[in-house]
Amino acid sequence: MKKPATTKTVEWNHMHQLLFTTSWDDGHVLDTRIAELLNRYGLKGTFYVLPSGGRENAIQEKSIKELSAQHEIGAHTLKHENVSTYDKENLAKEIVGSKTWIESITDKPCNMFCYPRGDTTLEAKQLVQEAGFIGARTTKMMEFGPVNDPYLLPTTLQTYPFPWRPKYKQWWHHLDPLGPMRVKLSRMCQLKMPLRAYTSWQSLAQSLLLSSIRTKQPFFHIWGHAKEIDRYDMWDDLQEFFAFARKQNIMPVTNSELITSVDTYSL
Protein backbone atom coordinates (compact mmCIF):
# COMPACT_ATOMS: atom_id res chain seq x y z
CA MET A 1 0.00 0.00 0.00
CA LYS A 2 1.37 3.42 -0.92
CA LYS A 3 2.30 5.59 2.06
CA PRO A 4 0.42 8.90 2.14
CA ALA A 5 2.49 12.02 1.62
CA THR A 6 0.70 13.76 4.49
CA THR A 7 2.20 11.52 7.19
CA LYS A 8 5.66 11.17 8.61
CA THR A 9 7.44 7.85 8.15
CA VAL A 10 9.45 6.70 11.15
CA GLU A 11 12.79 4.97 10.73
CA TRP A 12 12.30 1.46 12.11
CA ASN A 13 14.26 -1.77 12.22
CA HIS A 14 12.00 -4.78 12.70
CA MET A 15 14.89 -6.88 13.97
CA HIS A 16 15.71 -4.55 16.86
CA GLN A 17 12.76 -2.46 18.02
CA LEU A 18 9.11 -2.95 18.84
CA LEU A 19 6.74 -0.22 17.68
CA PHE A 20 4.89 0.95 20.80
CA THR A 21 1.66 2.88 20.33
CA THR A 22 -1.15 4.06 22.59
CA SER A 23 -4.67 5.34 21.90
CA TRP A 24 -7.38 6.90 24.07
CA ASP A 25 -11.07 7.14 23.32
CA ASP A 26 -14.02 9.50 23.69
CA GLY A 27 -12.32 12.83 24.46
CA HIS A 28 -12.43 13.20 28.25
CA VAL A 29 -11.06 16.15 30.20
CA LEU A 30 -8.58 13.77 31.85
CA ASP A 31 -6.99 12.99 28.49
CA THR A 32 -4.60 15.81 29.40
CA ARG A 33 -3.46 13.77 32.42
CA ILE A 34 -2.74 10.80 30.15
CA ALA A 35 -0.79 13.13 27.85
CA GLU A 36 1.29 14.33 30.81
CA LEU A 37 2.26 10.73 31.60
CA LEU A 38 3.07 10.03 27.96
CA ASN A 39 5.25 13.13 27.82
CA ARG A 40 7.03 12.18 31.04
CA TYR A 41 8.15 8.88 29.56
CA GLY A 42 8.71 10.02 25.99
CA LEU A 43 5.76 8.05 24.62
CA LYS A 44 3.14 8.94 22.00
CA GLY A 45 -0.63 8.82 21.96
CA THR A 46 -3.50 9.04 19.50
CA PHE A 47 -6.53 10.66 21.12
CA TYR A 48 -9.86 9.85 19.47
CA VAL A 49 -12.14 12.76 20.31
CA LEU A 50 -15.59 14.03 19.37
CA PRO A 51 -17.63 17.20 19.96
CA SER A 52 -18.73 17.59 23.57
CA GLY A 53 -22.44 17.54 22.71
CA GLY A 54 -23.27 18.37 26.31
CA ARG A 55 -21.34 15.36 27.65
CA GLU A 56 -20.13 15.74 31.22
CA ASN A 57 -16.35 16.17 31.52
CA ALA A 58 -15.84 16.26 27.76
CA ILE A 59 -12.52 17.68 26.59
CA GLN A 60 -12.85 21.15 25.10
CA GLU A 61 -11.52 22.38 21.78
CA LYS A 62 -8.76 24.48 23.36
CA SER A 63 -7.35 21.38 25.08
CA ILE A 64 -7.65 19.35 21.87
CA LYS A 65 -5.58 21.99 20.10
CA GLU A 66 -2.96 21.83 22.87
CA LEU A 67 -2.86 18.02 22.75
CA SER A 68 -2.27 18.11 19.01
CA ALA A 69 1.05 19.90 19.53
CA GLN A 70 2.68 16.70 20.82
CA HIS A 71 0.24 13.90 20.08
CA GLU A 72 -2.10 12.72 17.35
CA ILE A 73 -5.80 13.59 17.27
CA GLY A 74 -8.09 11.06 15.62
CA ALA A 75 -11.79 11.13 14.69
CA HIS A 76 -14.46 9.20 16.57
CA THR A 77 -17.63 10.35 14.72
CA LEU A 78 -19.71 13.33 15.85
CA LYS A 79 -22.23 11.60 18.12
CA HIS A 80 -20.51 8.36 19.23
CA GLU A 81 -23.26 6.07 17.97
CA ASN A 82 -22.54 2.60 16.60
CA VAL A 83 -21.85 2.85 12.86
CA SER A 84 -24.25 -0.01 12.15
CA THR A 85 -27.19 2.13 13.30
CA TYR A 86 -26.83 4.65 10.43
CA ASP A 87 -27.90 4.59 6.84
CA LYS A 88 -25.12 5.28 4.34
CA GLU A 89 -25.86 8.98 3.89
CA ASN A 90 -25.91 9.83 7.59
CA LEU A 91 -22.94 7.61 8.33
CA ALA A 92 -20.91 9.49 5.72
CA LYS A 93 -21.87 12.74 7.42
CA GLU A 94 -20.67 11.41 10.77
CA ILE A 95 -17.35 10.21 9.37
CA VAL A 96 -16.53 13.14 7.09
CA GLY A 97 -17.91 15.66 9.58
CA SER A 98 -15.71 14.38 12.39
CA LYS A 99 -12.61 14.67 10.21
CA THR A 100 -13.50 18.21 9.12
CA TRP A 101 -14.23 19.25 12.70
CA ILE A 102 -10.88 18.03 14.02
CA GLU A 103 -8.89 19.59 11.19
CA SER A 104 -10.60 22.94 11.85
CA ILE A 105 -9.32 22.80 15.45
CA THR A 106 -5.81 21.43 14.96
CA ASP A 107 -4.95 22.88 11.53
CA LYS A 108 -3.45 19.48 10.75
CA PRO A 109 -4.58 16.50 8.66
CA CYS A 110 -6.71 14.04 10.63
CA ASN A 111 -5.40 10.68 9.46
CA MET A 112 -6.96 8.18 11.89
CA PHE A 113 -10.50 7.10 12.69
CA CYS A 114 -11.79 4.94 15.55
CA TYR A 115 -15.07 3.02 15.32
CA PRO A 116 -17.27 3.84 18.35
CA ARG A 117 -17.42 0.83 20.68
CA GLY A 118 -15.52 -1.16 18.06
CA ASP A 119 -18.64 -1.54 15.91
CA THR A 120 -17.50 -2.02 12.30
CA THR A 121 -19.19 -2.74 8.98
CA LEU A 122 -17.87 -3.10 5.44
CA GLU A 123 -19.78 0.03 4.48
CA ALA A 124 -18.27 2.04 7.33
CA LYS A 125 -14.77 0.85 6.44
CA GLN A 126 -15.26 1.91 2.83
CA LEU A 127 -16.58 5.33 3.85
CA VAL A 128 -13.65 5.87 6.23
CA GLN A 129 -11.23 5.12 3.41
CA GLU A 130 -13.11 7.36 0.95
CA ALA A 131 -13.06 10.21 3.51
CA GLY A 132 -9.26 10.28 3.31
CA PHE A 133 -8.26 8.51 6.53
CA ILE A 134 -5.20 6.26 6.22
CA GLY A 135 -6.40 3.84 8.88
CA ALA A 136 -9.05 3.03 11.46
CA ARG A 137 -8.76 1.45 14.90
CA THR A 138 -10.97 -1.30 16.28
CA THR A 139 -11.31 -2.69 19.81
CA LYS A 140 -9.99 -6.15 18.93
CA MET A 141 -7.46 -7.05 21.63
CA MET A 142 -4.56 -9.37 22.42
CA GLU A 143 -2.98 -8.78 19.02
CA PHE A 144 0.53 -7.67 18.01
CA GLY A 145 0.25 -7.93 14.25
CA PRO A 146 0.44 -8.56 11.41
CA VAL A 147 -2.47 -6.36 10.41
CA ASN A 148 -4.20 -7.56 7.29
CA ASP A 149 -6.13 -4.32 6.84
CA PRO A 150 -5.06 -0.83 8.07
CA TYR A 151 -8.76 0.05 8.37
CA LEU A 152 -9.17 -2.71 10.96
CA LEU A 153 -6.22 -1.87 13.22
CA PRO A 154 -6.29 -4.12 16.32
CA THR A 155 -5.00 -3.46 19.83
CA THR A 156 -3.03 -5.45 22.37
CA LEU A 157 -4.47 -4.54 25.78
CA GLN A 158 -7.04 -2.18 27.26
CA THR A 159 -6.29 -0.27 30.44
CA TYR A 160 -9.05 -1.93 32.44
CA PRO A 161 -9.33 -3.98 35.66
CA PHE A 162 -8.02 -7.55 35.49
CA PRO A 163 -8.57 -10.37 36.42
CA TRP A 164 -11.59 -9.38 38.56
CA ARG A 165 -14.77 -7.80 37.25
CA PRO A 166 -14.95 -4.16 38.41
CA LYS A 167 -17.72 -3.16 40.76
CA TYR A 168 -20.92 -1.71 39.31
CA LYS A 169 -20.27 -3.24 35.89
CA GLN A 170 -23.85 -4.11 35.07
CA TRP A 171 -23.37 -6.05 31.85
CA TRP A 172 -21.25 -8.74 33.49
CA HIS A 173 -23.28 -10.99 35.76
CA HIS A 174 -22.46 -10.94 39.48
CA LEU A 175 -21.82 -14.69 39.29
CA ASP A 176 -19.03 -14.05 36.78
CA PRO A 177 -16.47 -12.26 39.00
CA LEU A 178 -13.55 -13.25 36.75
CA GLY A 179 -15.19 -11.97 33.57
CA PRO A 180 -12.12 -10.01 32.38
CA MET A 181 -9.99 -13.14 32.66
CA ARG A 182 -12.63 -15.37 31.10
CA VAL A 183 -12.79 -13.36 27.87
CA LYS A 184 -8.98 -13.39 27.54
CA LEU A 185 -8.24 -16.88 28.81
CA SER A 186 -8.13 -18.70 25.47
CA ARG A 187 -5.83 -16.14 23.89
CA MET A 188 -3.59 -16.01 26.97
CA CYS A 189 -3.17 -19.77 26.82
CA GLN A 190 -2.43 -19.57 23.12
CA LEU A 191 0.26 -16.96 23.81
CA LYS A 192 1.67 -19.12 26.64
CA MET A 193 1.50 -16.37 29.22
CA PRO A 194 3.35 -17.10 32.50
CA LEU A 195 1.33 -17.69 35.66
CA ARG A 196 2.13 -14.23 36.98
CA ALA A 197 0.26 -12.72 34.03
CA TYR A 198 -2.99 -14.02 35.47
CA THR A 199 -2.66 -12.16 38.76
CA SER A 200 -3.09 -8.48 37.87
CA TRP A 201 -3.44 -6.00 35.03
CA GLN A 202 0.12 -4.81 35.57
CA SER A 203 1.52 -8.34 35.39
CA LEU A 204 -0.47 -9.08 32.25
CA ALA A 205 0.61 -5.85 30.56
CA GLN A 206 4.30 -6.43 31.31
CA SER A 207 4.12 -10.09 30.28
CA LEU A 208 2.46 -9.24 26.97
CA LEU A 209 5.04 -6.56 26.25
CA LEU A 210 8.00 -8.83 27.01
CA SER A 211 6.44 -11.61 24.94
CA SER A 212 5.95 -9.28 21.97
CA ILE A 213 9.60 -8.21 22.15
CA ARG A 214 10.91 -11.74 22.59
CA THR A 215 8.94 -13.08 19.65
CA LYS A 216 9.79 -10.05 17.46
CA GLN A 217 6.23 -8.91 16.89
CA PRO A 218 5.61 -5.74 14.80
CA PHE A 219 3.91 -3.68 17.51
CA PHE A 220 2.34 -3.33 20.95
CA HIS A 221 -0.84 -1.24 21.28
CA ILE A 222 -2.28 -0.20 24.63
CA TRP A 223 -5.55 1.76 24.77
CA GLY A 224 -8.32 2.86 27.09
CA HIS A 225 -10.63 5.58 28.38
CA ALA A 226 -9.50 8.28 30.79
CA LYS A 227 -12.81 8.12 32.63
CA GLU A 228 -12.35 4.39 33.34
CA ILE A 229 -8.74 4.83 34.41
CA ASP A 230 -9.99 7.39 36.91
CA ARG A 231 -13.09 5.42 37.95
CA TYR A 232 -11.10 2.28 38.68
CA ASP A 233 -8.08 4.13 40.13
CA MET A 234 -5.58 2.83 37.57
CA TRP A 235 -3.37 5.91 37.25
CA ASP A 236 -0.53 4.30 39.24
CA ASP A 237 -0.85 1.15 37.11
CA LEU A 238 -0.58 3.18 33.93
CA GLN A 239 2.41 5.16 35.13
CA GLU A 240 4.20 2.03 36.33
CA PHE A 241 3.63 0.33 32.99
CA PHE A 242 4.83 3.36 31.02
CA ALA A 243 8.00 3.43 33.14
CA PHE A 244 8.52 -0.29 32.55
CA ALA A 245 7.88 -0.02 28.80
CA ARG A 246 10.32 2.87 28.39
CA LYS A 247 13.13 0.69 29.72
CA GLN A 248 12.54 -1.85 26.95
CA ASN A 249 13.77 -1.72 23.36
CA ILE A 250 10.76 0.07 21.91
CA MET A 251 10.09 2.87 19.43
CA PRO A 252 7.14 5.09 20.45
CA VAL A 253 4.79 5.91 17.55
CA THR A 254 1.29 7.26 17.03
CA ASN A 255 -1.37 5.07 15.42
CA SER A 256 -0.84 6.63 12.00
CA GLU A 257 2.95 6.36 12.31
CA LEU A 258 2.47 2.68 13.08
CA ILE A 259 0.63 2.21 9.81
CA THR A 260 3.00 4.31 7.70
CA SER A 261 6.26 3.19 9.33
CA VAL A 262 6.12 -0.41 8.30
CA ASP A 263 3.98 -2.51 6.00
CA THR A 264 2.55 -4.30 9.02
CA TYR A 265 -0.44 -5.63 7.10
CA SER A 266 1.72 -7.69 4.73
CA LEU A 267 4.30 -9.16 7.11
Side-chain angles (χ1 to χ4, degrees), residues 24-35 47 49 59 67 226:
W24 312 96
D25 294 3
D26 295 359
H28 192 276
V29 66
L30 289 174
D31 281 355
T32 57
R33 184 171 176 180
I34 293 177
F47 292 84
V49 303
I59 193 170
L67 276 180

Side-chain angles (χ1 to χ4, degrees), residues 217-256:
Q217 299 297 328
F219 67 86
F220 186 97
H221 186 171
I222 186 172
W223 71 286
H225 303 81
K227 63 182 179 182
E228 290 184 339
I229 296 170
D230 196 59
R231 178 185 303 157
Y232 302 125
D233 194 23
M234 295 187 70
W235 292 108
D236 288 345
D237 271 318
L238 190 62
Q239 178 171 344
E240 182 179 342
F241 180 65
F242 283 172
F244 175 83
R246 207 61 186 95
K247 295 176 182 177
Q248 313 308 316
N249 193 19
I250 63 170
M251 173 172 282
V253 294
T254 63
N255 282 187
S256 66

Side-chain angles (χ1 to χ4, degrees), residues 124-248:
K125 191 180 78 164
Q126 180 180 359
L127 289 171
V128 168
Q129 188 171 4
E130 291 175 356
F133 293 98
I134 68 165
R137 206 211 75 199
T138 68
T139 55
K140 184 179 181 182
M141 287 188 283
M142 306 291 282
E143 298 292 336
F144 312 97
V147 179
N148 296 317
D149 189 334
Y151 293 93
L152 294 174
L153 180 67
T155 71
T156 308
L157 184 65
Q158 182 180 6
T159 308
Y160 191 81
F162 178 89
W164 299 99
R165 176 177 64 88
K167 293 180 180 179
Y168 315 121
K169 200 64 175 176
Q170 296 179 357
W171 53 83
W172 264 332
H173 195 276
H174 66 280
L175 295 179
D176 186 22
L178 289 172
M181 179 185 287
R182 174 180 54 78
V183 298
K184 295 179 177 65
L185 185 59
S186 176
R187 181 64 169 149
M188 289 178 67
C189 291
Q190 183 182 27
L191 293 171
K192 299 180 180 180
M193 288 291 97
L195 289 177
R196 66 180 294 270
Y198 294 81
T199 62
S200 69
W201 181 88
Q202 186 68 234
S203 296
L204 175 59
Q206 292 188 15
S207 296
L208 284 170
L209 180 60
L210 292 177
S211 175
S212 64
I213 293 172
R214 183 180 66 253
T215 57
K216 294 182 171 62
Q217 299 297 328
F219 67 86
F220 186 97
H221 186 171
I222 186 172
W223 71 286
H225 303 81
K227 63 182 179 182
E228 290 184 339
I229 296 170
D230 196 59
R231 178 185 303 157
Y232 302 125
D233 194 23
M234 295 187 70
W235 292 108
D236 288 345
D237 271 318
L238 190 62
Q239 178 171 344
E240 182 179 342
F241 180 65
F242 283 172
F244 175 83
R246 207 61 186 95
K247 295 176 182 177
Q248 313 308 316

Side-chain angles (χ1 to χ4, degrees), residues 14-192:
H14 181 219
M15 297 303 294
H16 299 292
Q17 286 186 306
L18 174 79
L19 293 172
F20 184 94
T21 193
T22 79
S23 57
W24 312 96
D25 294 3
D26 295 359
H28 192 276
V29 66
L30 289 174
D31 281 355
T32 57
R33 184 171 176 180
I34 293 177
E36 289 172 0
L37 288 177
L38 291 170
N39 295 342
R40 184 180 306 174
Y41 294 101
L43 301 173
K44 295 184 179 183
T46 297
F47 292 84
Y48 292 102
V49 303
L50 61 155
S52 60
R55 291 181 298 119
E56 185 178 3
N57 296 320
I59 193 170
Q60 299 303 304
E61 292 185 2
K62 179 181 178 181
S63 294
I64 294 174
K65 174 73 170 178
E66 292 171 351
L67 276 180
S68 72
Q70 292 182 286
H71 300 283
E72 180 173 42
I73 306 298
H76 203 33
T77 72
L78 296 172
K79 299 176 183 176
H80 201 260
E81 299 292 340
N82 288 11
V83 298
S84 59
T85 64
Y86 289 98
D87 59 35
K88 185 174 182 179
E89 180 180 358
N90 285 309
L91 180 56
K93 290 179 180 178
E94 284 287 312
I95 292 171
V96 175
S98 62
K99 189 177 197 296
T100 301
W101 174 71
I102 287 173
E103 291 177 345
S104 72
I105 296 171
T106 65
D107 295 321
K108 297 178 180 180
C110 179
N111 291 313
M112 291 298 301
F113 181 85
C114 180
Y115 304 99
R117 304 181 185 90
D119 180 42
T120 59
T121 66
L122 290 175
E123 184 174 69
K125 191 180 78 164
Q126 180 180 359
L127 289 171
V128 168
Q129 188 171 4
E130 291 175 356
F133 293 98
I134 68 165
R137 206 211 75 199
T138 68
T139 55
K140 184 179 181 182
M141 287 188 283
M142 306 291 282
E143 298 292 336
F144 312 97
V147 179
N148 296 317
D149 189 334
Y151 293 93
L152 294 174
L153 180 67
T155 71
T156 308
L157 184 65
Q158 182 180 6
T159 308
Y160 191 81
F162 178 89
W164 299 99
R165 176 177 64 88
K167 293 180 180 179
Y168 315 121
K169 200 64 175 176
Q170 296 179 357
W171 53 83
W172 264 332
H173 195 276
H174 66 280
L175 295 179
D176 186 22
L178 289 172
M181 179 185 287
R182 174 180 54 78
V183 298
K184 295 179 177 65
L185 185 59
S186 176
R187 181 64 169 149
M188 289 178 67
C189 291
Q190 183 182 27
L191 293 171
K192 299 180 180 180

